[in-house]
């Protein structure tokens, strides 16, 4: 009997950490059917909290979105709860967390702490975590609260460019933050594709045959054209080539003029920076030999080997289109 | 005994180094030049963007960066003027009107941190002196991108 008692204590010690962790989950994310550029869209996020510990806390809710959308300025978030025994909240606005507020376990500003914990959820372009908080401080007592659901409604205005990304969402209690007994890893994302703009689709979700570094740039900046000889299931004929050259064409002056660079020389020779990755940095006006006051509208590129016996264009058959991405 | 075995070779090696050291006088030679020039060239060109907040060095990516440089002219051991050449770079890193070459009197302001290399009689800062190097931060087009030249003197 004494032995049993000893084992019982060990069993309690082992089970205790599992039992006292708060259960926080994002149940569903609803995106609009066909979001368009420069338009207000509405997103719904259902979250669930199964309290296991007592706490008095506001809710922190974070959204991962393109930096160019500036949702800190243009998004409106509200939420409604069900199941909160001390009085549900209805359509309460979520407001921006102060920049001076820090996540308590990391002492980092909330946005930095969330990015440090979850990263950018697979996005390959400039996105940011924007963090909001409830006005209501929830008085969580384990005995009273068994399940609290919340519907978060997000209204935001999309940017001016076609874009595909992983929109991300996260919530936790503000008081304890990432404290292990009050927090479960619950950041979730869902692909959002915004169309209707004039630019080539900016895809933050996957490596494409052609990309730029940085992802956002102006025509007056320095940036690289990156060419993958293989990306996902697509394998181009330039895979394994010793040298890769870049053809370029710039359209400027409101589409009335163009400049073409079509030579096999050091000017167009790309640098191999990975097994299947080639790169060419350009300062566009210099590369295309344009006058200082030229205004570039768009640029097209394709890639060749040294004797031009292999030419790789966009899988649709056209040249790869690059447009200015700075907002 | 074991310790002595280790100690003796270490001592011998230490003496070897002492043997190589030259005596350095802290007295400035009478014929030490007081009027001289120091040339600087680009060591690094950093590009910063929101996805690469620590920056990427692009100095080797474009040939024209190797053509930028400047010379500081010293009189009586003090900086008095500057000759800056933008070389083949198709843009200017300065926030003020400057041609492809600057020849101007200048001064290094030690009263501000980092020290500012300014064109004399103006607020035009050419570069900042920091950790033994001159740096020139600048922007070109997109507000989310920034750049920084770092110059080192040519020995």
């Amino acid at each position: 009997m004494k032995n049993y008692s000893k084992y019982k204590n060990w069993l309690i010690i082992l089970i205790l950490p599992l039992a006292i962790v708060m259960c926080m989950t994002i149940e569903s994310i609803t995106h609009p059917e066909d979001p368009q550029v420069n338009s207000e869209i509405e997103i719904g996020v259902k979250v669930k909290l199964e309290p296991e510990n007592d706490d008095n806390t506001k809710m922190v809710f974070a959204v991962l979105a393109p930096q160019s959308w500036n949702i800190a300025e243009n998004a409106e978030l509200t939420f409604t709860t069900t199941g909160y025994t001390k009085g549900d909240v209805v359509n309460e606005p979520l407001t921006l967390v102060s920049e001076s507020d820090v996540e308590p376990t990391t002492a980092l500003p909330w946005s930095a702490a969330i990015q440090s914990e979850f990263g950018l959820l697979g996005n390959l372009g400039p996105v940011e975590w924007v963090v909001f908080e409830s006005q209501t401080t929830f008085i969580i007592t384990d005995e009273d609260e068994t399940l609290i659901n919340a519907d978060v409604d997000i209204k935001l205005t999309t940017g001016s460019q076609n874009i595909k990304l992983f929109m991300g969402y996260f919530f936790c209690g503000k008081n304890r933050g990432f404290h292990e007994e009050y927090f479960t890893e619950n950041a979730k994302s869902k692909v959002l594709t915004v169309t209707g703009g004039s630019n080539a689709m900016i895809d933050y979700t996957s490596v494409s045959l052609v990309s730029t570094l940085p992802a956002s740039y102006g025509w007056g900046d320095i940036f690289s054209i990156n060419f993958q000889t293989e990306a996902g299931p697509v394998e181009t004929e330039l895979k394994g080539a010793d040298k890769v050259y870049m053809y370029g064409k710039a359209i400027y002056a409101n589409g009335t003029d163009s400049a073409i660079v079509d030579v096999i020389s050091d000017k167009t020779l790309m640098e191999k920076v990975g097994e299947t990755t080639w790169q060419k940095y350009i300062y566009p006006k210099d590369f295309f030999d344009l006058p200082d006051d030229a205004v570039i509208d768009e640029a097209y590129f394709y890639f060749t080997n040294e004797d031009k016996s292999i030419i790789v264009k966009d899988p649709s058959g056209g040249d790869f289109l690059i447009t200015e991405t700075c907002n | 005994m074991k310790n002595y075995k280790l100690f003796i070779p270490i001592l011998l090696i230490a003496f070897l180094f002492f043997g190589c050291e030259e005596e350095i006088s802290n007295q400035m030679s009478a014929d030490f030049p007081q009027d001289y020039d120091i040339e600087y060239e680009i060591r690094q060109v950093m590009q910063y963007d929101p996805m690469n907040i620590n920056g990427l060095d692009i100095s080797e990516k474009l040939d024209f960066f190797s053509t930028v440089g400047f010379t500081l002219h010293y009189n009586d051991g003090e900086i008095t003027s500057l000759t800056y050449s933008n070389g083949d770079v198709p843009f200017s890193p300065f926030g003020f009107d400057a041609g492809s070459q600057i020849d101007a009197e200048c001064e290094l302001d030690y009263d501000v941190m980092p020290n500012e290399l300014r064109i004399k009689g103006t607020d035009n800062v050419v570069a900042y002196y920091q950790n033994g190097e001159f740096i020139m931060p600048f922007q070109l087009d997109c507000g989310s991108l920034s750049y920084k030249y770092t110059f080192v003197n040519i020995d």
Side-chain angles (χ1 to χ4, degrees), chain A residues 69-89:
Chain A
W69 289 6
N70 191 19
I71 68 164
E73 294 291 325
N74 77 39
E76 285 179 19
L77 281 74
T78 56
F79 77 108
T80 298
T81 66
T82 51
Y84 179 46
T85 62
K86 293 167 187 76
D88 279 316
V89 298

Side-chain angles (χ1 to χ4, degrees), chain A residues 67 120 123-127 213-214 216-223 271 273 279 281-283 286 324 326-327, chain B residues 45 47-52 56 58 60-65 88 90-91 138-145 147:
Chain A
Q67 287 179 350
L120 301 176
N123 285 292
L124 301 171
V127 290
L213 181 68
S216 288
Y217 59 86
W219 289 122
D221 279 303
I222 294 165
F223 59 90
E271 179 188 2
V273 293
Q279 181 180 68
Y281 268 88
I282 62 169
Y283 179 71
D286 180 60
E324 190 175 52
C326 180
N327 285 308
Chain B
V45 180
Q47 181 183 52
Y48 301 91
D49 74 274
M51 298 291 284
N52 292 289
L56 296 172
I58 57 171
E60 303 289 323
K61 304 295 185 182
L62 290 161
D63 291 340
F64 52 60
F65 287 129
D88 298 330
F91 51 80
F138 61 97
Q139 282 198 301
L140 291 176
D141 189 349
C142 193
S144 63
L145 302 185
Y147 304 82

